[in-house]
Amino acid sequence: MTEPDDDDSRLRSGIQSIEVGFKLLQALAASPRAMMLRDLAAAADMNPAKAHRYLVSFQRLGVVAQDPVGGRYDLGPFALQLGLAGLNRLDPVKKARPILSQLRDEIDQTAGIAVWGNHGPTIVHWEESSHPVTVSLRLGDVMPMLNSATGRLFGAYLPRRQTLPLIERELRERQQDEVPDLPRTLADYDAVCADVRAHGAARIRGGVLPGINAISMPVFDANGHVAMALIVLGAQSVFDAEWGGAVDRRVRAIAQQISTELGYLGGQTPAGDAGHS
């Protein structure tokens, strides 16, 4: 029997240093915010000096970025590109992208897709209308839970144990915000979520972006779980955000179409109805 050569043996055994360094990326991905070196090293069960050497290399590759003022580390631009590439390979997003382009052409409003990521509702695709609105949103941006249509949608349909840390953090951090209709307590947010479930969709009129209306519609998978959210937005002067209006009806039909293609039967109880569990 022929013994494997050293190259084959090394190939099967992998590169240990990569696996060790990857623990730092796992810790960053699991954290809701940027981390100091000592905390990041502890989370990865690593000596800070050793962690710093890995982080220097990760920074050169764009996998990690460091705040020049506070010195905290976070995932870098290449990590975001990698994550978005993975998300865009998911079947629900693949199915939705060409349909979303058709929707944009039909209603001539900016349309997008959001999925639930490590840090909350994350934008993974945009289709701009012929009269694009001036927005500061970019691919990979995370939408707020309290006063974005998409954040409220996921808050209503995902299990509360999954969303509660983000909701409570925003409730603490935004107590002084002078934003109309911003929930101030968990009870207020529960009422908002109940309204979302009652209408089967979420809407915002001038919430995150002044002068901009938005509707967010859930797409369900075969198990009745929210696979993603369809988003449409536009200037209040030209965007009909009324329930039962032209935009609502068309986006709702598209969301139902994609849900059906993903195997959702419609008679199942969406997982979000257990959102307070």
Side-chain angles (χ1 to χ4, degrees), residues 29 62-63 75-90 93 115-119 122-125 139-140:
V63 181
L75 295 174
F78 182 71
L80 175 60
Q81 293 171 22
L82 197 62
L84 289 174
L87 288 171
N88 280 312
R89 283 172 170 78
L90 292 175
V93 177
V115 300
W116 184 261
N118 288 335
H119 301 294
T122 305
I123 304 296
V124 296
H125 185 66
L139 294 182

Side-chain angles (χ1 to χ4, degrees), residues 22-238:
F22 191 74
K23 293 180 181 179
L24 293 166
L25 302 181
Q26 288 178 310
L28 278 176
S31 173
R33 56 180 63 85
M35 302 176 71
M36 295 296 293
L37 173 61
R38 63 176 182 274
D39 299 325
L40 180 54
D45 194 24
M46 192 180 299
N47 179 285
K50 182 178 180 180
H52 181 260
R53 292 196 297 272
Y54 278 104
L55 291 168
V56 169
S57 293
F58 285 149
Q59 281 182 269
R60 290 173 182 161
L61 297 171
V63 181
V64 166
Q66 185 180 27
D67 181 352
V69 178
R72 294 176 181 269
Y73 291 92
D74 207 345
L75 295 174
F78 182 71
L80 175 60
Q81 293 171 22
L82 197 62
L84 289 174
L87 288 171
N88 280 312
R89 283 172 170 78
L90 292 175
D91 283 347
V93 177
K94 280 185 177 181
K95 287 184 177 293
R97 290 179 67 174
I99 300 174
L100 196 74
S101 179
Q102 296 172 19
L103 172 66
R104 183 274 317 273
D105 293 342
E106 287 181 24
I107 64 176
D108 200 18
Q109 300 289 354
T110 296
I113 300 171
V115 300
W116 184 261
N118 288 335
H119 301 294
T122 305
I123 304 296
V124 296
H125 185 66
W126 271 130
E127 294 278 356
E128 289 192 349
S129 69
S130 64
H131 46 86
V133 294
T134 303
V135 298
S136 58
L137 297 177
R138 299 164 299 178
L139 294 182
D141 277 353
V142 177
M143 303 303 292
M145 296 297 294
L146 299 189
N147 67 314
S148 73
T150 304
R152 291 180 174 186
L153 185 86
F154 282 109
Y157 283 106
L158 287 180
R160 182 51 57 87
R161 66 181 179 277
Q162 193 170 350
T163 60
L164 185 60
L166 295 178
I167 296 168
E168 289 183 330
R169 189 180 76 194
E170 285 191 34
L171 287 172
R172 290 192 303 270
E173 294 177 350
R174 305 191 62 183
Q175 282 298 314
Q176 306 305 315
D177 285 10
E178 296 182 1
V179 177
D181 301 322
L182 183 73
R184 304 292 174 180
T185 66
L186 190 56
D188 291 343
Y189 194 73
D190 287 341
V192 168
C193 290
D195 184 69
V196 170
R197 289 190 293 270
H199 289 97
R203 69 177 177 184
I204 287 288
R205 287 180 276 198
V208 177
L209 304 164
I212 301 297
N213 286 345
I215 288 178
S216 189
M217 201 76 62
V219 171
F220 298 106
D221 63 19
N223 296 313
H225 300 145
V226 175
M228 61 187 168
L230 300 186
I231 312 160
V232 289
L233 58 84
Q236 287 181 302
S237 59
V238 296

